[in-house]
Amino acid sequence: MTETKPPLFNRPAFRLGLIAAAAAAGTILVLLLNASISKHKAEASKTSVRVVEMDETSVDPAIWGKNFPRQYDGYLRTIERSGTKYGGGGSETLAISKLTEDPHLPVIFDGYAFALDYRQRRGHAFMLDDQRATKRVTERPQPGACLHCHASTTVPYREAGLKAGAPGTLAEPLDSANAQAQLQAGFQAIGKLPYAEATKLVKHPVACIDCHDPKTMALRVTKPGFINGIDALARSSEPVPHLPSIETWRKGDRSRNYDANRDASRQELRSMVCGQCHVEYYCGPKTTLFFPWNKGLKVEQIEATYSEYKFPDGHRFFDWKHKRTGAEVLKAQHPEFEMWSQGVHARSGVACADCHMPYVREGALKISDHQVRSPLLNISRACQTCHRFPEGELKARVEAIQDKTHTLMLRAEDAVVALINDLEKAKNDGIPETALGDIFELQRKAQWRTDFVNAENSMGFHAPQEVARILGEAIDFARQGQLALRDLRDKTKTAKK
């Protein structure tokens, strides 16, 4: 009788062989996966290849681009033209004239350089070229201080500081005492030069060296206006819970200055490097450029600082005397840092870079997008990492805030222009300026608040409730001025009878 062999699959030896083969295959797959993960981790940890050596004299961004090609590529793309409904912030919009778009502005800025030329901002790559071309510079004399926020000034300041007698050499790291002395001395020297002369000392718009240490790539602040301004803010009594390092410094050794590069956290620096330029400041010819943060960052605190400030000639601070009314009024610059400080994002620990330079993955690498621009142009990475709503819904929410702000801002401008027209008529009717002093103050307050919102690059989004408060006050001050003027006219008529 012939013995029948079991099927191949049922034979123990065959099964053992299959199990061994499966185990071997599994082991190989795990090893391959582990090798792949290790490779990607290695790639991710190596964010750059040092092709060239850089130091404190490396101004040209193209040199930095050899070591950091991805970040440099983003920096170059700030030249791309794009737009949002209200311009957005950072790197978008064509250079459209605000004076043409908004007929209130030539009246509000009458007698000042901004009535000659006032355009939408463009990308960072344009900031120096646009400043050199604006009629505000070509048709009105301006000081070299204007370069503070439009050019890469770190090295030119230090070079000018050395010429002015500051100690040390340019090779010393920026955080050294000598380098800081050079920086401040050069800031003073270049700021006093005529713009046409000072601009010959710079070659690039704000560049890598103005925000990064060339040796370690660590974030840093380099603009003397910010270095001095943030120390003044730290020494004020205004609570700044969104900047915890300042609160910590206040409890420690106050004999030394608050130093953002030493005291601030990296997350704070991711806003402070932007706050070097996106702020309110004075950069006119009467005194050295300064950030008016002695009393805090709110609109009325800055106003109070200005009102207490005396120019070297002893006169109270003002930007210009309004051509139609004669009031001494103020011009806001671009107070993004101040307005962000009043909003929920700052209070929640969200930095400027989180939204305007969100992280992007390129292969295994995670880097900050250096194409600085409005978050509305990049909602998926700028907003949806925190807010789990569809892109269209998020855009609609932002634009609803901006639409309401814009409508309210136009009503504030209406009120300011109405007050200006009434004051002009009163002067033409023979009411002397000496009788209009209190009403001039109301024009100053109303105009300042309206411009603070208009000049800020978010159309209210950075702090919607704060903006509504500011514009409400602006309308109130302007209407108070009109009522006071009506009362003055009535008293004048009564006196003549």
Side-chain angles (χ1 to χ4, degrees):
M1 183 175 175
T2 302
E3 184 179 356
T4 303
K5 292 184 177 179
L8 182 63
F9 188 76
N10 290 338
R11 297 175 188 173
F14 183 78
R15 289 186 174 184
L16 286 174
L18 280 180
I19 292 171
T27 301
I28 291 172
L29 286 174
V30 169
L31 290 174
L32 288 174
L33 179 62
N34 183 57
S36 177
I37 292 173
S38 298
K39 179 183 176 182
H40 281 80
K41 281 185 175 179
E43 290 176 355
S45 64
K46 196 170 187 178
T47 57
S48 68
V49 176
R50 190 170 292 275
V51 177
V52 295
E53 289 298 321
M54 298 186 300
D55 57 29
E56 291 289 359
T57 66
S58 305
V59 182
D60 189 347
I63 296 174
W64 293 63
K66 294 181 185 297
N67 291 345
F68 301 93
R70 293 173 179 84
Q71 289 85 348
Y72 180 58
D73 183 56
Y75 174 83
L76 293 179
R77 289 204 306 274
T78 62
I79 201 169
E80 293 178 4
R81 293 180 172 182
S82 58
T84 61
K85 189 171 183 179
Y86 295 105
S91 317
E92 60 279 350
T93 77
L94 303 177
I96 299 169
S97 173
K98 288 188 173 186
L99 301 176
T100 304
E101 285 189 324
D102 186 348
H104 294 106
L105 299 183
V107 179
I108 291 173
F109 299 135
D110 199 3
Y112 199 48
F114 277 82
L116 295 175
D117 193 4
Y118 187 21
R119 295 177 182 274
Q120 293 277 12
R121 56 272 178 198
R122 295 198 293 171
H124 279 183
F126 292 107
M127 64 173 72
L128 184 55
D129 290 341
D130 284 358
Q131 186 180 62
R132 286 170 169 168
T134 179
K135 292 179 181 177
R136 300 198 302 272
V137 168
T138 59
E139 296 187 8
R140 292 285 178 90
Q142 301 291 350
C146 298
L147 292 169
H148 181 273
C149 294
H150 284 256
S152 182
T153 53
T154 305
V155 174
Y157 279 162
R158 292 186 62 182
E159 290 174 333
L162 287 167
K163 288 182 180 178
T169 68
L170 195 58
E172 294 178 68
L174 188 71
D175 60 359
S176 67
N178 283 347
Q180 287 297 306
Q182 296 161 19
L183 194 72
Q184 294 286 349
F187 167 59
Q188 295 273 349
I190 292 180
K192 294 175 183 175
L193 294 175
Y195 184 86
E197 188 176 338
T199 197
K200 295 175 184 174
L201 302 176
V202 300
K203 295 180 180 177
H204 303 280
V206 171
C208 317
I209 197 170
D210 300 300
C211 301
H212 291 282
D213 185 306
K215 291 294 184 185
T216 66
M217 298 307 116
L219 283 170
R220 68 179 186 182
V221 295
T222 61
K223 300 287 185 181
F226 184 90
I227 292 170
N228 302 335
I230 200 72
D231 180 57
L233 176 65
R235 294 182 183 283
S236 76
S237 59
E238 174 67 6
V240 283
H242 63 298
L243 299 173
S245 67
I246 289 182
E247 301 285 359
T248 301
W249 176 86
R250 287 171 173 171
K251 297 173 185 172
D253 178 13
R254 297 185 63 157
S255 64
R256 67 168 180 82
N257 290 354
Y258 173 83
D259 180 351
N261 291 325
R262 183 172 71 175
D263 298 318
S265 68
R266 182 176 179 277
Q267 184 67 358
E268 287 174 295
L269 280 169
R270 296 179 78 234
S271 293
M272 290 181 176
V273 292
C274 306
Q276 296 185 101
C277 299
H278 289 268
V279 291
E280 168 59 23
Y281 52 80
Y282 172 74
C283 68
K286 296 180 182 178
T287 191
T288 305
L289 180 151
F290 68 95
F291 291 10
W293 293 350
N294 303 54
K295 296 178 182 296
L297 299 169
K298 296 188 179 74
V299 65
E300 64 272 19
Q301 293 167 333
I302 294 173
E303 179 186 48
T305 298
Y306 280 148
S307 293
E308 288 184 8
Y309 188 90
K310 296 290 189 296
F311 286 122
D313 63 5
H315 198 93
R316 181 186 68 158
F317 182 95
F318 68 106
D319 280 301
W320 89 102
K321 202 167 184 177
H322 197 273
K323 187 175 181 180
R324 301 190 189 195
T325 68
E328 295 176 347
V329 286
L330 308 173
K331 173 72 189 79
Q333 304 307 316
H334 24 80
E336 283 82 60
F337 186 78
E338 292 90 340
M339 199 69 87
W340 163 82
S341 294
Q342 313 308 320
V344 69
H345 282 94
R347 197 61 182 257
S348 302
V350 179
C352 305
D354 286 321
C355 305
H356 294 279
M357 302 175 67
Y359 288 114
V360 58
R361 282 203 174 276
E362 292 193 6
L365 297 179
K366 179 183 173 186
I367 62 171
S368 291
D369 186 351
H370 279 57
Q371 186 184 5
V372 186
R373 53 182 172 163
S374 167
L376 285 177
L377 298 168
N378 194 11
I379 290 175
S380 61
R381 286 193 278 112
C383 310
Q384 288 181 316
T385 51
C386 296
H387 303 287
R388 306 293 185 183
F389 297 97
E391 188 168 318
E393 168 63 16
L394 291 170
K395 186 177 181 181
R397 291 185 187 188
V398 174
E399 291 191 342
I401 291 170
Q402 293 183 323
D403 286 344
K404 291 171 185 172
T405 301
H406 188 248
T407 299
L408 189 57
M409 187 188 75
L410 292 180
R411 298 190 72 166
E413 289 182 358
D414 282 338
V416 172
V417 169
L419 175 59
I420 289 172
N421 290 338
D422 285 358
L423 277 166
E424 184 180 25
K425 188 173 185 305
K427 288 182 68 177
N428 291 338
D429 291 342
I431 296 180
E433 282 194 12
T434 52
L436 298 173
D438 291 342
I439 305 173
F440 284 163
E441 290 302 298
L442 291 167
Q443 180 191 343
R444 177 177 165 119
K445 286 177 174 292
Q447 189 163 318
W448 164 244
R449 282 161 177 75
T450 304
D451 192 35
F452 201 84
V453 174
N454 194 355
E456 201 265 339
N457 288 334
S458 80
M459 192 52 74
F461 179 74
H462 285 152
Q465 289 180 306
E466 175 69 358
V467 166
R469 179 186 75 88
I470 293 170
L471 292 175
E473 288 187 359
I475 294 169
D476 180 52
F477 284 130
R479 299 308 183 193
Q480 282 189 49
Q482 287 185 283
L483 291 173
L485 194 55
R486 186 190 64 184
D487 293 343
L488 180 62
R489 282 180 173 281
D490 291 343
K491 290 178 183 175
T492 303
K493 288 178 183 177
T494 302
K496 287 181 178 178
K497 288 180 180 177

